[in-house]
Amino acid sequence: VHKWANLGQINSVSFDLIATHIPLTHTNYTGGGGGTVGGVASGTGYGYIGMPQSTAGLFEFSFVESSDNTNAFTIPNLDFSILDIDHYTAVTSEDPNNIGRENVRWNSGSVNSGGSMSLLRQGDQVQDVGGNADYDNRFKSIDTLLSQVDNPTDPNALTQEQFDHSLKIGFTNVSSFQIRFGNSEPVTSDGGGRKFFFSGTSTLVPEPSSSMLVGLGCMIVLFRRSRS
């Protein structure tokens, strides 16, 4: 379980975000993200979940009250962006066909009762591979343009290339939802893995500037990492 604490306030109530792994094929994942709002200080302004090679994991994201994590917290309108959907390997001889290694899946109904979940935007370098019996939304990376040095450092100031490698999901009356992250790259000698970055914006915060809109919206949250 990973928790990002004291992300923000609505109606003077502070809330946290908790990501719980629902076991599929592994439990060896990482979680984190850092720091501050608006790129101030050393923080990143996003959270992430890291997936080892040849693994997939279904995660339930839950908003809860900071004062009592047993109490669910509902956000009326939330835009949730998944960033850096790409693939890169330094050992091309061991992974010669390395296109489409990162994938993101969800069911539109995998949200709390009374909430809704729908796709708002699909980046140009993210492919819709169509739904199946398990997930009605399935996407994967198309190319290998981005390398580790191009990971987003500020979700409010993405480059066009980073913007093209992203998805945005819209929620109403959300307190919990599920998303599956997958990394299909083979196990190679570099021992690498892939990180799925995410950030959120709510209509309850001040209207973002045009530069923030280009960067998938301003953060409603201040990401701090704790692990339990």
Side-chain angles (χ1 to χ4, degrees):
V1 175
H2 287 268
K3 180 170 73 174
W4 295 268
N6 299 311
L7 300 187
Q9 289 188 351
I10 296 178
N11 296 327
S12 300
V13 179
S14 297
F15 58 91
D16 302 345
L17 175 63
I18 297 176
T20 303
H21 177 254
I22 301 173
L24 288 182
T25 58
H26 77 291
T27 57
N28 182 27
Y29 68 95
T30 60
T36 63
V37 173
V40 179
S42 60
T44 58
Y46 52 72
Y48 73 79
I49 289 177
M51 304 299 296
Q53 294 170 327
S54 295
T55 58
L58 179 64
F59 293 85
E60 182 166 68
F61 292 86
S62 301
F63 293 102
V64 294
E65 294 182 6
S66 299
S67 61
D68 185 350
N69 283 178
T70 64
N71 292 333
F73 186 88
T74 299
I75 298 178
N77 294 284
L78 175 71
D79 291 352
F80 188 83
S81 298
I82 302 170
L83 313 172
D84 196 40
I85 303 171
D86 66 342
H87 180 71
Y88 174 81
T89 180
V91 189
T92 55
S93 61
E94 298 178 29
D95 188 8
N97 184 25
N98 62 359
I99 295 175
R101 293 300 191 190
E102 285 195 9
N103 56 84
V104 180
R105 304 176 185 181
W106 70 88
N107 278 317
S108 299
S110 60
V111 64
N112 57 278
S113 177
S116 68
M117 178 181 188
S118 61
L119 178 68
L120 294 182
R121 184 186 182 278
Q122 172 187 339
D124 292 344
Q125 297 300 326
V126 180
Q127 181 181 355
D128 184 348
V129 298
N132 63 11
D134 296 319
Y135 298 95
D136 57 16
N137 287 272
R138 297 191 304 157
F139 299 90
K140 70 176 183 179
S141 54
I142 292 179
D143 59 27
T144 59
L145 289 177
L146 300 187
S147 66
Q148 186 174 3
V149 297
D150 295 309
N151 286 343
T153 57
D154 183 350
N156 297 333
L158 300 182
T159 66
Q160 184 62 50
E161 188 175 59
Q162 292 167 339
F163 191 63
D164 289 341
H165 290 76
S166 66
L167 292 167
K168 183 187 287 188
I169 306 170
F171 295 90
T172 61
N173 299 318
V174 61
S175 60
S176 66
F177 59 93
Q178 295 180 0
I179 293 180
R180 178 190 185 274
F181 299 117
N183 173 19
S184 65
E185 65 181 347
V187 176
T188 60
S189 58
D190 65 353
R194 306 302 304 165
K195 287 181 178 179
F196 292 84
F197 296 89
F198 53 86
S199 68
T201 183
S202 170
T203 57
L204 294 181
V205 298
E207 185 69 19
S209 66
S210 58
S211 61
M212 288 179 177
L213 287 172
V214 171
L216 291 179
C218 70
M219 290 293 295
I220 72 171
V221 298
L222 167 61
F223 277 110
R224 299 175 184 170
R225 183 196 174 187
S226 64
R227 179 159 187 178
S228 58

